[in-house]
Amino acid sequence: MTAAIRVAVIDDHPLFREGVTRSLSEIDGFEIVAEGGSRDDALRIAENLAPDVMLLDISMPGSGLEAVPLILQIAPSQKIIMLTVSEAGDDVKAALQGGAKGYVLKGIGSRALADVIRSVASGESYVAPTLSAKLLSNSAPTPVSKFDGIRELTTREREVLKLVASGMSNKQVARNLNLHEKTIKHHMTQIMAKLDVANRTEAAMVLRDALDRPLSQ
């Protein structure tokens, strides 16, 4: 039997925090190991309890964004998902650059949130598709050197990256291409290494700019 994913919920609004905790507790495969309401709580929980995944709000005492790199100093393998109302591109970029593996808006349903947590726990990154699109449209042009990586992608890797850039998870890409999810994960690892990027959103940005610019340039 697969072990339950151990989750910590850090949010300074008790009613919202309790709702998330209750919803996840009612779904098989999750165990809520801790709750908190501040950056200090998040640091303490990461150090003492080492949850598999930490859900972290941005607007809370001590700042969720500032908490991310501090948490990773204490627990480098900690997987963090920002669960917030902020759709600001700067917040998304700061969270991902700080080391968060996911960025989700609070309007998400409990089942969808559970899917995101499972994905991040398994090693994937996730950004809400609407926010990915916003980042892509507002981002600065990709440095020319990044296009060398695009040239190195195989036909299959480009196919995978296009689907990922459309907002699909690894599982959805696997279904679309009739491949195993582990195969897609391997492709994404290779893609991010070739493009020299840290996450799926950055990879999609490189692809976007490559499609707008002839590869011969």
Side-chain angles (χ1 to χ4, degrees):
M1 184 175 180
T2 304
I5 298 173
R6 302 171 65 255
V7 180
V9 184
I10 316 297
D11 192 292
D12 65 334
H13 290 87
L15 190 60
F16 177 80
R17 188 173 69 234
E18 290 167 9
V20 172
T21 297
R22 182 174 61 255
S23 295
L24 290 177
S25 297
E26 293 172 352
I27 299 175
D28 289 339
F30 294 94
E31 176 189 358
I32 306 302
V33 297
E35 296 181 38
S38 68
R39 180 184 65 184
D40 290 345
D41 288 342
L43 295 173
R44 174 180 52 79
I45 290 167
E47 183 173 17
N48 297 331
L49 296 174
D52 297 318
V53 176
M54 179 177 289
L55 301 180
L56 191 63
D57 188 22
I58 285 181
S59 300
M60 64 180 189
S63 172
L65 288 177
E66 292 183 10
V68 174
L70 296 176
I71 290 169
L72 294 176
Q73 287 178 16
I74 295 172
S77 62
Q78 178 66 67
K79 295 180 174 67
I80 301 170
I81 298 173
M82 310 308 294
L83 182 57
T84 176
V85 297
S86 174
E87 299 184 36
D90 288 346
D91 286 343
V92 181
K93 289 180 182 178
L96 297 178
Q97 289 172 356
K101 296 300 184 183
Y103 198 103
V104 182
L105 298 177
K106 285 188 174 181
I108 192 172
S110 59
R111 293 287 173 181
L113 177 59
D115 287 342
V116 173
I117 294 173
R118 291 190 192 99
S119 295
V120 170
S122 70
E124 292 186 37
S125 298
Y126 180 89
V127 177
T130 54
L131 297 179
S132 293
K134 185 178 294 186
L135 281 178
L136 291 174
S137 63
N138 295 336
S139 62
T142 298
V144 174
S145 60
K146 294 288 187 183
F147 295 123
D148 292 336
I150 287 289
R151 295 188 185 98
E152 293 178 11
L153 297 183
T154 65
T155 300
R156 176 64 84 185
E157 287 169 348
R158 291 189 192 187
E159 191 175 17
V160 169
L161 182 54
K162 286 179 182 178
L163 293 175
V164 167
S166 73
M168 289 188 183
S169 66
N170 283 355
K171 183 179 293 185
Q172 291 170 323
V173 174
R175 288 174 181 167
N176 188 284
L177 298 178
N178 196 28
L179 296 171
H180 291 294
E181 187 176 355
K182 287 184 178 179
T183 302
I184 303 304
K185 289 181 180 179
H186 173 72
H187 282 315
M188 282 308 303
T189 298
Q190 294 295 108
I191 289 167
M192 289 189 288
K194 289 179 179 180
L195 300 184
D196 189 26
V197 297
N199 55 62
R200 298 154 70 91
T201 299
E202 289 182 10
M205 290 177 183
V206 176
L207 176 65
R208 182 280 315 268
D209 286 347
L211 293 175
D212 288 343
R213 174 193 182 105
L215 292 179
S216 60
Q217 289 188 13

